[in-house]
C-alpha cells in the first residue's frame, strides 16, 4: 500500500496560481505549508531571476525547476538558431535563480514530419547541453499528450522521452513525468520503471484530466476532479526510488478566475487526499 503524503512533498508551479505576482505566491505557499516552488519565466520578469531566487529562499521554499525551455523545431535554420539562443538564455536565468533544472517542452512544427522535428529536438538539446553541464542545470524532457503533437511537442510518450534521454546518456538530461500527458499510456508503468532504472526520472507533475474537458490547454482539473489514478501512478514513480516533490501544475481558466487563497486551500486539501 502506498504511504500517505505530506505537504513536505508538495511543490506548486507559479502558473497554477497565475493571477498572483511571484511575491504573493511565495508568501502564500509558505504560509500554507507548501515546501517547493517551480518558477515560470514570466514570474521573474519584474524583479529578475537573481532577486527572485533570494525572495524564494528567504521564505524557506525550495526551488524545484525553471519553466520552460524547448520549442526547438523550425523549418528555417534561423528559427532553430534563435530557439537554441533562447534556451541558452533560459539556462543562464535558471542558474541565476538557483533552479536545479529546466523543463523542456520540446516543440514541433506542423510544416514538417514528426521525425524531422524529433531530430531537431535532439540537435537542440545537444547544442545547449555543454552550457547546462557548465552551469549544473539539468534538462528535463517532458513528453506531451498526443493532442499537442502538431505544434507543441513531437515527444508524446514516455518511451520517446526515455529514448531521447538514453541517447544522451548524461546526468544532465532526464525526463519530467506529467500525469496529464501520460496517464492514458498502457506502457506507463513499464516506462516509468525504465526511466528510473536509468536514473532519468527528474520530475513528477500532478493535476487531473476532466472527463468533460472544455479547453484542452486551459481546463486541467484539480487533483480529484478527474479520472487519473494519482495514487497508483505515484506508487509506480516511488517504486523507482524517486523521493522528490510532487509538483502541482494546473492551467485552468476556471480556477484562475476564483479567489486564489481559496484555490490554494483546495490545492493543499486535494494534494493530501488524492495525490
Amino acid at each position: 500500500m502506498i504511504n500517505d503524503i505530506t505537504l513536505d512533498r508538495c511543490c506548486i508551479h507559479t502558473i497554477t496560481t497565475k493571477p498572483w505576482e511571484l511575491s504573493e505566491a511565495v508568501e502564500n505557499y509558505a504560509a500554507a505549508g507548501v515546501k517547493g516552488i517551480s518558477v515560470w519565466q514570466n514570474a521573474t520578469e519584474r524583479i529578475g531571476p537573481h532577486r527572485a531566487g533570494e525572495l524564494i529562499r528567504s521564505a524557506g521554499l525550495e526551488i524545484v525547476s525553471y519553466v520552460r525551455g524547448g520549442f526547438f523545431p523550425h523549418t528555417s535554420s534561423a528559427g532553430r538558431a534563435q530557439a537554441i539562443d533562447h534556451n541558452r538564455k533560459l539556462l543562464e536565468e535558471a542558474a541565476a535563480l538557483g533552479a536545479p533544472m529546466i523543463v523542456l517542452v520540446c516543440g514541433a512544427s506542423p510544416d514538417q514530419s514528426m521525425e524531422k522535428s524529433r531530430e531537431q529536438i535532439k540537435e537542440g538539446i545537444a547544442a545547449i547541453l555543454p552550457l547546462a553541464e557548465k552551469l549544473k542545470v539539468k534538462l528535463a524532457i517532458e513528453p506531451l499528450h498526443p493532442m499537442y503533437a502538431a505544434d507543441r511537442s513531437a515527444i508524446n510518450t514516455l518511451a520517446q522521452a526515455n529514448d531521447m534521454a538514453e541517447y544522451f546518456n548524461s546526468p544532465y538530461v532526464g525526463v519530467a513525468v506529467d500525469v496529464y500527458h501520460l496517464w492514458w499510456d498502457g506502457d506507463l508503468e513499464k516506462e516509468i520503471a525504465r526511466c528510473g532504472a536509468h536514473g532519468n526520472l527528474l520530475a513528477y507533475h500532478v493535476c487531473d484530466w476532466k472527463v468533460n474537458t472544455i479547453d484542452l490547454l486551459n481546463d486541467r482539473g484539480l487533483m480529484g476532479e478527474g479520472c487519473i489514478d494519482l495514487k497508483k501512478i505515484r506508487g509506480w514513480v516511488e517504486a523507482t526510488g524517486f523521493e522528490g516533490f510532487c509538483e502541482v501544475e494546473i492551467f485552468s481558466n476556471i480556477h484562475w478566475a476564483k479567489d486564489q487563497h481559496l484555490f490554494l486551500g483546495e490545492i493543499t486539501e486535494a494534494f493530501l487526499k488524492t495525490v
Side-chain angles (χ1 to χ4, degrees):
M1 182 176 180
I2 190 169
N3 293 327
D4 290 338
I5 198 166
T6 70
L7 292 180
D8 286 351
R9 297 276 307 283
C10 183
C11 166
I12 301 179
H13 283 235
T14 56
I15 197 70
T16 299
T17 55
K18 183 180 177 180
W20 276 341
E21 294 287 339
L22 179 62
S23 59
E24 294 176 286
V26 168
E27 179 182 358
N28 290 306
Y29 294 177
V34 172
K35 298 301 184 184
I37 186 170
S38 280
V39 183
W40 280 58
Q41 186 189 27
N42 68 297
T44 70
E45 288 174 349
R46 179 166 295 186
I47 62 174
H50 181 75
R51 284 185 59 200
E54 292 178 336
L55 172 71
I56 292 166
R57 285 184 290 274
S58 68
L61 294 176
E62 182 174 339
I63 300 170
V64 179
S65 65
Y66 193 47
V67 191
R68 58 192 173 168
F71 294 99
F72 296 109
H74 291 273
T75 54
S76 72
S77 58
R80 295 192 295 276
Q82 185 177 12
I84 289 168
D85 287 344
H86 178 65
N87 277 272
R88 287 178 175 143
K89 177 177 180 289
L90 288 171
L91 280 167
E92 297 280 2
E93 291 176 1
L97 179 69
M101 77 178 101
I102 283 184
V103 177
L104 299 181
V105 175
C106 291
S109 172
D111 299 319
Q112 63 187 18
S113 71
M114 298 281 282
E115 291 78 13
K116 188 68 173 176
S117 286
R118 290 182 190 124
E119 281 302 310
Q120 291 173 357
I121 291 166
K122 188 180 292 183
E123 291 165 2
I125 293 174
I128 67 170
L129 181 55
L131 181 59
E133 292 172 339
K134 177 182 176 181
L135 297 174
K136 295 181 169 52
V137 177
K138 295 182 179 182
L139 306 172
I141 299 166
E142 182 178 22
L144 265 57
H145 192 282
M147 65 185 171
Y148 298 126
D151 59 350
R152 285 185 176 268
S153 183
I155 306 298
N156 307 111
T157 66
L158 186 50
Q160 291 168 349
N162 279 335
D163 288 346
M164 189 77 69
E166 289 168 21
Y167 168 82
F168 286 102
N169 191 29
S170 165
Y172 286 93
V173 179
V175 175
V177 170
D178 187 324
V179 297
Y180 189 74
H181 299 298
L182 299 174
W183 69 274
W184 55 273
D185 188 346
D187 290 330
L188 186 56
E189 182 179 11
K190 178 183 73 175
E191 291 297 330
I192 286 174
R194 172 188 169 193
C195 189
H198 286 83
N200 288 329
L201 184 49
L202 300 183
Y204 177 56
H205 299 177
V206 297
C207 61
D208 216 335
W209 182 283
K210 294 165 66 176
V211 176
N212 296 314
T213 298
I214 58 176
D215 185 316
L216 293 179
L217 181 61
N218 292 325
D219 191 33
R220 292 192 185 194
L222 175 68
M223 299 81 70
E225 284 188 321
C227 59
I228 302 177
D229 191 336
L230 293 164
K231 289 186 182 295
K232 179 173 70 175
I233 298 176
R234 178 164 68 90
W236 296 343
V237 167
E238 291 179 354
T240 70
F242 181 85
E243 297 178 341
F245 285 95
C246 298
E247 304 179 43
V248 180
E249 184 184 32
I250 300 172
F251 311 153
S252 170
N253 291 325
I254 293 171
H255 290 303
W256 289 333
K258 66 173 61 169
D259 182 296
Q260 294 300 282
H261 292 92
L262 173 64
F263 183 36
L264 179 58
E266 293 173 343
I267 290 170
T268 55
E269 180 181 0
F271 186 90
L272 294 172
K273 182 179 179 181
T274 69
V275 171

